[in-house]
Amino acid sequence: MASKPRDKTVSIDEVVSRLSNGMTIGIGGWGPRRKPMALVRAICNSDLQDLTVVSWGGADVGLLARAGKIRKLVYAFVSLDSIPLEPNFQRARQHKLIPEVVELDEGMFHTGLRAAAERLPFLPARAGLGSDVLVNNSWIRTVASPYPDEDGAHEELVAVPALKLDVALVHLNRADAHGNAAYLGPDPYFDDLFARAADRTFLSVEQIVDTAELTGDTPVQRLLLSRIEVTGVVQTPNGAHFTSCVPDYERDEKFQKAYATAAAGTDEDWAAFHERFLAGTEDDYQAAVKAFHEEQA
Amino acid sequence: MTDHTRADVCAAAIADAFADDGEIFASPMGLLPTIGARLAKLTSNPDLVVSDGESLWLASAPAIGRTGVVEGWIPFRKVFDIVNYGKRHVMMGATQVDRDGNQNISALGDFAQPTRQLLGSRGAPGNTVNNRTSYWVPRHSPRVFVEAVDVVCGVGPKRARTAGVAASKYNDIYRIVSNLAVFDVRGEGDTVRLLSLHPGVTLEEVVAATGFAFDVLRSASGEVATTREPTSEELHLIRDVLDPKGLRLREVPEPEKAAS
């Protein structure tokens, strides 16, 4: 008798095949940190289109924008940290290549994910009041507290709408085949919230291990995702490259610089970068990155 | 003769902005604010809580880029808890600041199709209605200090008041420190007001570098204050402890000496 939960191991291509045009996709990680880049690269190479992307933006947003995949973008910032401004995102915004943008405050973004994860239509927040976030997103409403404050005033707060996702894509350090997963770096970011805000969650990891191994040498507080939150697991070693995936690896600053230079350059510069690194499979990408570093050494 | 640099004056002015904060989370964005906040922790306000800018609260105030002993965990999700809790003073950058103390880091030009896309609003809207907020401007110019910002990210007192009590009750735009001077937003109608000129800087110079008219705080005898010079202890801490590599001089180069 089988007593183990089911095996959710899938391939990158299977994940992409289970996405469809027009979907709302939440991407975990934070800026240039622990992004599910292997899955993002595969989406860029697919026929998918008209996506709504919800992300603490980094090069995931830049790559998807450059590939023309984004119909609507929900974000609070897009940054590469050591390179503050993301050139592909800048280009897309300045040429109006993303038809609809919803720029939120970070706290609103967090609140919106919490609302979706708790199956609430909205949650109240102070963040956003008085700012142009409410001017540029005039569909976002406020809500009055039914309870007066100590001065008798009824505070009018932002009713942050739930950021409901069709699919969440996240990348962690380790998982078992059932979807239990651990982050080993300094910050969980918001990957568990993304998972619960979504109907389905696909998880990529550096390494799939036995459940006993997953929990044997890692404090249980590092188990960010449980299998009830996960639909499929794909092993993608170096799958967050060129973002950081500490302690497995730091951000690849040299490669990020090459990416940003190509993105900020001419169409020919970008075409050359794309041809060398992005036109093939994930294995092709990893081999090209290896060759890039051998050249640089 | 003085042997301090303009960057040292800025570091001490930033430290002064955190001096009276008590036991709260000092959240400086960028190099000089980080030096200034750590300087405050080493001098005027040992209770200040400082971080590595990523996910750790540091027990001491080590050199830029160093960690030392850790006293707590502050992942991004907990930053939002502390923002809402209110025991925090953030010093952000600003691509634009206007007369009403509004700040922009989102985009230049029309938001629908910016001439230059910047970071996005980040946490500026939430910071400014939840906890004390200051700004740091390393290159004071009329392109930064504008009559009206293109996108309001950080909310100034007038906008907060207009938005209602929920927006205004914790709105506290405390200081704007630039490479030339120190300001608050207590001018007439809650507008930007000059508090002090850095040593060697003239009022005319600041007026010329600011794209709007501003109030000036003057003493009974009509004098404009000069930003205080760093003490010898502060100079030692800045040079030998916090920024031994002199990174601050790249952010705030020495002003060109007037021809004599």
Side-chain angles (χ1 to χ4, degrees):
Chain A
M1 289 292 283
S3 62
K4 276 188 176 177
R6 70 187 190 281
D7 187 323
K8 294 175 186 166
T9 312
V10 289
S11 68
I12 292 174
D13 289 342
E14 279 172 87
V15 172
V16 174
S17 74
R18 291 168 72 175
L19 309 178
S20 50
N21 295 340
M23 268 189 171
T24 297
I25 299 181
I27 302 177
W30 171 280
R33 308 178 196 190
R34 222 181 68 231
K35 284 283 175 178
M37 295 299 281
L39 298 179
V40 168
R41 285 186 281 269
I43 293 172
C44 288
N45 267 343
S46 73
D47 296 328
L48 288 164
Q49 52 189 355
D50 292 330
L51 301 177
T52 291
V53 171
V54 178
S55 175
W56 305 103
D60 54 329
V61 168
L63 282 169
L64 289 165
R66 190 75 188 220
K69 299 298 183 189
I70 308 179
R71 192 194 64 73
K72 177 178 171 183
L73 177 65
V74 183
Y75 67 103
F77 65 85
V78 181
S79 176
L80 303 173
D81 278 11
S82 51
I83 301 168
L85 304 179
E86 217 291 351
N88 272 330
F89 168 64
Q90 285 193 292
R91 177 182 173 277
R93 285 282 286 134
Q94 290 163 200
H95 293 87
K96 218 173 179 178
L97 303 175
I98 302 172
E100 197 181 337
V101 296
V102 176
E103 181 178 295
L104 302 174
D105 161 83
E106 287 175 18
M108 290 176 74
F109 191 101
H110 181 217
T111 304
L113 284 178
R114 281 175 44 224
E118 296 171 22
R119 300 183 298 172
L120 294 169
F122 73 91
L123 277 171
R126 213 174 286 286
L129 293 170
S131 77
D132 275 352
V133 166
L134 296 192
V135 174
N136 294 324
N137 301 288
S138 55
W139 55 278
I140 297 179
R141 303 286 183 229
T142 56
V143 59
S145 169
Y147 311 108
D149 69 10
E150 52 276 20
D151 298 322
H154 291 258
E155 289 192 46
E156 185 102 11
L157 299 157
V158 180
V160 181
L163 294 175
K164 272 183 60 65
L165 311 171
D166 294 313
V167 170
L169 305 176
V170 300
H171 184 86
L172 270 71
N173 301 89
R174 302 285 181 277
D176 64 17
H178 317 297
N180 300 302
Y183 72 102
L184 302 180
D187 196 320
Y189 309 121
F190 301 88
D191 291 351
D192 52 339
L193 270 187
F194 275 97
R196 291 192 296 274
D199 292 337
R200 289 182 291 155
T201 296
F202 293 103
L203 163 69
S204 63
V205 291
E206 290 299 311
Q207 202 186 344
I208 295 178
V209 296
D210 284 349
T211 307
E213 193 180 332
L214 178 70
T215 56
D217 54 4
T218 297
V220 289
Q221 292 87 343
R222 286 194 172 279
L223 290 164
L224 187 65
L225 293 176
S226 81
R227 57 191 171 83
I228 62 176
E229 299 161 319
V230 173
T231 311
V233 189
V234 47
Q235 179 167 291
T236 60
N238 212 31
H241 183 271
F242 48 95
T243 69
S244 65
C245 189
V246 179
D248 291 312
Y249 44 88
E250 299 280 348
R251 184 158 61 239
D252 186 342
E253 295 287 357
K254 253 185 200 169
F255 188 88
Q256 172 164 289
K257 189 153 189 255
Y259 162 79
T261 303
T266 63
D267 287 349
E268 288 70 31
D269 294 334
W270 178 253
F273 182 89
H274 184 275
E275 179 58 31
R276 177 169 182 192
F277 295 107
L278 300 170
T281 64
E282 179 63 15
D283 286 346
D284 295 334
Y285 173 81
Q286 297 292 350
V289 168
K290 195 158 175 269
F292 168 83
H293 282 293
E294 280 162 4
E295 255 170 45
Q296 301 278 311
Chain B
M1 266 316 275
T2 54
D3 61 352
H4 60 259
T5 65
R6 179 64 58 78
D8 298 331
V9 171
C10 292
I14 292 167
D16 284 351
F18 292 100
D20 300 322
D21 282 337
E23 194 162 38
I24 65 159
F25 177 25
S27 210
M29 309 285 163
L31 183 71
L32 250 298
T34 301
I35 294 171
R38 290 185 187 185
L39 183 61
K41 183 172 172 61
L42 291 171
T43 55
S44 55
N45 187 0
D47 282 343
L48 211 55
V49 174
V50 300
S51 82
D52 68 346
E54 202 165 326
S55 60
L56 302 173
W57 270 335
L58 308 181
S60 60
I64 297 302
R66 305 294 285 268
T67 300
V69 175
V70 171
E71 70 168 338
W73 186 47
I74 181 73
F76 286 120
R77 59 180 62 200
K78 196 172 169 188
V79 172
F80 296 126
D81 293 342
I82 303 299
V83 170
N84 296 339
Y85 180 47
K87 287 193 181 181
R88 178 169 179 262
H89 180 176
V90 60
M91 182 174 275
M92 306 187 77
T95 307
Q96 294 178 320
V97 179
D98 67 22
R99 190 165 178 270
D100 292 323
N102 301 307
Q103 169 252 30
N104 176 21
I105 47 171
S106 167
L108 296 178
D110 178 16
F111 183 78
Q113 184 173 3
T115 52
R116 184 161 165 77
Q117 174 66 48
L118 306 169
L119 272 178
S121 289
R122 284 224 71 158
N127 289 339
T128 46
V129 295
N130 275 298
N131 58 220
R132 178 169 279 186
T133 303
S134 296
Y135 299 114
W136 160 242
V137 177
R139 278 179 297 278
H140 192 132
S141 88
R143 289 174 49 167
V144 178
F145 288 87
V146 296
E147 188 66 41
V149 299
D150 294 348
V151 182
V152 176
C153 302
V155 180
K158 195 193 239 169
R159 292 270 300 214
R161 219 171 31 247
T162 307
V165 63
S168 64
K169 69 179 0 173
Y170 304 122
N171 178 255
D172 178 12
I173 308 302
Y174 188 64
R175 291 284 182 275
I176 303 165
V177 181
S178 81
N179 59 323
L180 300 181
V182 180
F183 304 84
D184 67 8
V185 291
R186 300 290 182 90
E188 194 179 349
D190 292 341
T191 55
V192 170
R193 176 178 70 163
L194 177 71
L195 295 181
S196 67
L197 297 162
H198 295 344
V201 177
T202 65
L203 180 58
E204 292 67 35
E205 200 179 328
V206 176
V207 167
T210 306
F212 54 81
F214 53 86
D215 282 359
V216 179
L217 180 70
R218 291 178 189 275
S219 66
S221 56
E223 299 294 305
V224 182
T226 302
T227 311
R228 72 174 180 87
E229 296 182 2
T231 65
S232 55
E233 185 204 359
E234 285 177 317
L235 287 174
H236 158 66
L237 291 171
I238 295 167
R239 288 173 187 161
D240 304 326
V241 177
L242 294 171
D243 183 27
K245 291 180 184 158
L247 300 172
R248 67 195 178 282
L249 298 169
R250 271 188 250 160
E251 189 160 289
V252 180
E254 278 301 88
E256 287 168 37
K257 297 276 183 293
S260 53

